[in-house]
Amino acid sequence: MYVKRVRLENYGPIPNLDIELPFAGDDPKPVVLVGENGTGKSLVLSHIVNGMIEAKHAAFPKSRETDEKKVFKLRSGQYIAVGSEHYYGRVDFEGDQFIEELWVSQRKQADAPAALSEGTVAYAAWTRMQSGSTNHFDHSFDGAMADADQSVVHEMLSDNCLLYFPADRFEEPAWLNLRHLQSKPRHTVRTRLEGETDRRVVASCLLHDIQDWLFSVAYDRAAFESKTEGVMVPLLGVEHPVHLPLWRGYEGDATSVYELVVDLVRRAVKKSPAVSRLGIGDRHRRNLSVMSADDTVVPSIFQLSSGEAALLVLFLSILRDFDFRQNRTVRFNSTKDVRGLVVIDEVDLHLHVRHQHEVLPELIKMFPRVQFVMTTHSPLLVLGLGNVLGEDGFGLYELPSGSPIDPEEFSEFGEAYKAFRETASFRGEMQRKIESAQRTVVFVDGDTDCKYLARAAQLLNHDDTLKRLEVTPGGGEGGLKNLWRVRDALSRGASSIEGVVLLHDPESTSAHQDCGRVHRRVMPRCSDHPISKGIEHLFDRKTLDKAREHKDAFIDIDGAREKKVRGEIQKVPEEWTVNPDEKTNLCNWLCENGTAEDFQHFEPIFAMLEEVLEASDTAASEGD
């Protein structure tokens, strides 16, 4: 059951949305809806899910997920956009099936609201609205059920996986609910009554049901699909060969499902050694565990991390639901056999960045015939989908307009996406600098820091120290903090040199720290210097006055003043800052004209660097 088209008019924050969902031939492409909070992502999903549930109710009227004559999605005039007289929503599914609703602000009059144009589907819905009513609701599923066994809807429900994962779908953690760890799986008993089904569209807290299903799969595999072959074996001292049974493994439907489950668990639960099978305790402790060849990787599936559990619930639910389908004429040998519609609200919830960027896109790729319709706030997921499926391998739509966009065009988190790419590129560049260096690398805030330190070394007689250092820009305070976050990788990359020093400007709140070959240091602060931020803080007023005499534009001064805070007068001292456009010019002038006295407050920096070098020398001699 695929979605073909979604149309909304004047619905909450959505003025006019018309999305024709993308396909690659007969196979659907994943669809991702993005946008800021309050732009209508979940509202779009609600119309799709309402159609899924109404289709199920038509095919299986005795297995409703809402009360009789009630709908899943609330219809109300409160969803009419401000300044409008109506809202309209319609979802078209394959097989010419549809669901639609219309609400007008006043009871039906002789004339349609002005915004309803004659000839549109919304106008046609208005013509079918009963006189004196304010709303219209209709779908095609009941009409298609004239012959329940042969209807299009019944076939769609029987042959497809149909699931909706709401944003509150998650299990309680095992540490909060101990009974989960002690929970024993049970055999899954299927309903076989006319008009009923065990399958549910709304999927929430399914780990217990998945455990029960996996237990049944493992039981069927062991009890019914174990293959043996008789062989005649000659034995020493026995006149005739002896007939012995030779076990040839497992073969059958349950075996195929079991192997798919293990493959999916292996991809979602990245462990070393790798997952190779499921473990089922004895009859006195029938819990389900995740195993490598010989060892227990996870003692109980309820002890998985929240991210791992979230992924497994999503994708094992798809396998489980498709395994419960009524049409058994086609064998279920691959995830490529699974067909259906899966709607996921906030798909990135609880997922680590690696799960978002790498694991989730790979799992989605495993199901090319499943139409995934998802909402997300994660640029990493979209980046990962692009890497795995290609830029044209999925549809990306920004709400509330529903316009198709490229990853770089995200209005909400385009900057985060750009920052991620720049961060990855920056780290790679810094790593390459370390690996190619011949001396201890000192990362500083920017280019002017490099020039100031080089000149200070000359004036303060620290040339020998500087010769053992390679001073390079580290991308500002943010860049230095970013490098410290990956200090373990930097330390490994610095194995051929004495070490790496991250040297922060004086105003940094970072602390002096050491991690292997990576050392974090902060320039000293001086209590009475007029510039509070940047390496220029190390110059005293006398030096800066000389620079200002040369060019007053070097320094911007915010004069001393008074301000009133909660009725009390407070004195705000004078504040000096380097003019951004003059930063390089000031550096050049001070390096050309400054004296040892002007650079005297740089002395503690060299003491710190020499201490690091001395510690490296000591460690090297002890290693010898």
Side-chain angles (χ1 to χ4, degrees):
M1 183 177 181
Y2 293 149
V3 179
K4 293 291 188 177
R5 188 175 182 182
V6 181
R7 283 173 279 186
L8 295 176
E9 295 177 12
N10 304 323
Y11 194 80
I14 301 173
N16 193 355
L17 175 146
D18 189 350
I19 299 176
E20 293 192 31
L21 279 72
F23 286 76
D26 294 330
D27 293 339
K29 296 181 180 181
V31 169
V32 182
L33 305 179
V34 299
E36 297 181 12
N37 290 328
T39 54
K41 300 186 296 297
S42 295
L43 294 178
V44 174
L45 298 189
S46 71
H47 284 265
I48 297 174
V49 176
N50 206 30
M52 296 162 65
I53 289 181
E54 288 302 317
K56 178 197 171 181
H57 290 172
F60 302 100
K62 297 180 182 179
S63 297
R64 296 182 59 86
E65 296 189 34
T66 63
D67 293 335
E68 189 72 25
K69 297 183 180 180
K70 300 294 183 182
V71 294
F72 170 76
K73 188 184 75 63
L74 175 68
R75 299 196 310 275
S76 170
Q78 67 182 358
Y79 288 105
I80 298 176
V82 176
S84 301
E85 297 180 331
H86 81 283
Y87 80 68
Y88 176 75
R90 180 182 175 107
V91 180
D92 291 293
F93 298 91
E94 64 178 331
D96 296 325
Q97 304 303 307
F98 71 90
I99 187 169
E100 70 176 356
E101 61 184 79
L102 172 70
W103 199 288
V104 295
S105 57
Q106 297 181 356
R107 297 191 178 277
K108 185 176 180 181
Q109 307 294 324
D111 296 324
L116 283 177
S117 301
E118 191 170 352
T120 64
V121 288
Y123 183 86
W126 178 83
T127 63
R128 296 193 295 274
M129 183 186 295
Q130 294 183 359
S131 178
S133 176
T134 57
N135 69 94
H136 162 80
F137 176 72
D138 191 19
H139 59 74
S140 60
F141 306 122
D142 285 335
M145 291 299 298
D147 184 348
D149 292 332
Q150 301 297 325
S151 73
V152 173
V153 175
H154 199 281
E155 290 179 5
M156 286 195 301
L157 270 291
S158 299
D159 299 349
N160 287 261
C161 166
L162 207 65
L163 291 171
Y164 163 56
F165 294 92
D168 61 350
R169 59 189 174 268
F170 298 102
E171 307 283 334
E172 291 180 339
W175 54 263
L176 187 62
N177 193 355
L178 187 60
R179 67 180 179 85
H180 281 184
L181 295 179
Q182 300 168 342
S183 177
K184 298 177 182 178
R186 300 165 295 174
H187 288 284
T188 299
V189 180
R190 301 289 310 284
T191 297
R192 300 297 181 187
L193 300 178
E194 180 77 21
E196 294 188 28
T197 179
D198 301 299
R199 303 165 71 188
R200 293 182 62 84
V201 172
V202 181
S204 184
C205 295
L206 285 174
L207 207 50
H208 275 289
D209 294 335
I210 288 171
Q211 179 182 240
D212 295 344
W213 167 67
L214 291 177
F215 176 72
S216 297
V217 169
Y219 175 82
D220 289 350
R221 174 174 175 261
F224 305 115
E225 297 181 356
S226 179
K227 300 298 181 183
T228 59
E229 179 180 334
V231 295
M232 302 301 293
V233 180
L235 296 179
L236 188 64
V238 178
E239 182 178 355
H240 300 288
V242 176
H243 183 275
L244 295 176
L246 177 65
W247 185 66
R248 302 296 298 271
Y250 298 102
E251 181 180 347
D253 290 342
T255 299
S256 298
V257 173
Y258 176 87
E259 290 173 352
L260 292 177
V261 168
V262 172
D263 182 42
L264 196 150
V265 174
R266 183 185 301 114
R267 294 169 185 257
V269 183
K270 303 277 189 181
K271 301 292 185 182
S272 182
V275 173
S276 63
R277 62 189 177 91
L278 301 179
I280 297 177
D282 61 33
R283 61 190 178 91
H284 299 292
R285 191 174 185 274
R286 193 74 82 196
N287 67 304
L288 186 68
S289 57
V290 179
M291 311 287 291
S292 65
D294 301 310
D295 299 321
T296 300
V297 175
V298 182
S300 167
I301 60 172
F302 291 98
Q303 288 180 307
L304 292 164
S305 71
S306 58
E308 292 168 335
L311 286 174
L312 287 182
V313 164
L314 285 176
F315 291 93
L316 290 182
S317 294
I318 295 173
L319 293 182
R320 174 180 177 269
D321 189 70
F322 194 71
D323 189 40
F324 283 177
R325 73 200 185 284
Q326 290 183 327
N327 184 355
R328 313 294 296 184
T329 57
V330 179
R331 290 197 63 182
F332 179 17
N333 294 319
S334 167
T335 53
K336 295 179 181 179
D337 296 328
V338 181
R339 189 184 193 277
L341 170 60
V342 175
V343 179
I344 312 173
D345 200 2
E346 299 191 52
V347 67
D348 53 293
L349 282 179
H350 286 265
L351 299 185
H352 182 268
V353 291
R354 183 179 64 82
H355 290 130
Q356 296 176 32
H357 181 244
E358 299 174 14
V359 182
L360 181 55
E362 288 289 350
L363 295 177
I364 289 173
K365 185 181 180 181
M366 291 177 65
F367 296 85
R369 300 183 68 206
V370 171
Q371 185 179 46
F372 291 93
V373 182
M374 305 167 284
T375 68
T376 187
H377 288 280
S378 170
L380 298 181
L381 168 61
V382 177
L383 176 63
L385 287 172
N387 292 339
V388 172
L389 303 177
E391 295 297 330
D392 296 327
F394 65 104
L396 182 63
Y397 302 89
E398 186 172 44
L399 274 293
S401 67
S403 301
I405 59 172
D406 294 325
E408 293 85 351
E409 297 175 329
F410 291 173
S411 63
E412 180 185 4
F413 45 77
E415 288 303 315
Y417 173 79
K418 178 181 177 182
F420 173 80
R421 293 193 305 167
E422 291 177 347
T423 297
S425 175
F426 168 75
R427 288 180 179 175
E429 180 185 352
M430 297 300 104
Q431 191 75 45
R432 287 189 292 273
K433 284 185 178 181
I434 292 171
E435 292 171 353
S436 63
Q438 304 298 316
R439 299 168 289 175
T440 293
V441 179
V442 179
F443 288 108
V444 293
D445 193 280
D447 292 325
T448 54
D449 295 54
C450 300
K451 295 179 181 179
Y452 280 128
L453 288 173
R455 182 55 175 159
Q458 293 175 345
L459 294 172
L460 303 176
N461 299 317
H462 291 291
D463 285 332
D464 291 341
T465 300
L466 194 64
K467 289 177 182 178
R468 297 184 60 184
L469 304 173
E470 189 169 314
V471 184
T472 187
E477 176 70 5
L480 295 177
K481 289 183 176 180
N482 191 14
L483 289 173
W484 181 252
R485 293 189 188 102
V486 292
R487 53 193 175 274
D488 290 335
L490 294 182
S491 185
R492 291 191 297 270
S495 58
S496 62
I497 59 176
E498 292 176 328
V500 176
V501 179
L502 309 180
L503 184 58
H504 295 259
D505 279 351
E507 73 275 11
S508 174
T509 57
S510 300
H512 290 209
Q513 292 175 274
D514 300 284
C515 177
R517 294 176 181 268
V518 181
H519 312 275
R520 174 187 257 183
R521 297 292 185 267
V522 181
M523 296 178 186
R525 286 200 65 81
C526 305
S527 59
D528 57 348
H529 287 194
I531 295 179
S532 60
K533 295 182 179 180
I535 194 172
E536 294 87 359
H537 168 76
L538 298 178
F539 295 107
D540 58 25
R541 182 180 291 269
K542 179 180 178 181
T543 299
L544 294 176
D545 282 339
K546 288 194 301 183
R548 290 181 59 217
E549 288 177 7
H550 172 75
K551 188 177 183 180
D552 192 45
F554 283 156
I555 308 295
D556 294 336
I557 300 177
D558 188 1
R561 65 188 189 280
E562 292 182 346
K563 67 176 182 178
K564 182 177 290 188
V565 180
R566 302 186 68 179
E568 294 185 2
I569 300 297
Q570 295 183 0
K571 295 185 179 297
V572 179
E574 185 178 73
E575 183 179 6
W576 290 28
T577 56
V578 179
N579 184 281
D581 295 330
E582 296 291 342
K583 189 175 180 70
T584 300
N585 295 331
L586 174 63
C587 175
N588 292 337
W589 188 88
L590 287 171
C591 289
E592 291 175 6
N593 299 281
T595 64
E597 183 180 2
D598 295 323
F599 281 83
Q600 61 180 309
H601 300 288
F602 283 72
E603 188 68 49
I605 296 176
F606 291 100
M608 287 189 293
L609 296 175
E610 288 164 1
E611 180 184 3
V612 170
L613 292 173
E614 183 178 348
S616 298
D617 292 340
T618 301
S621 62
E622 290 176 352
D624 295 338

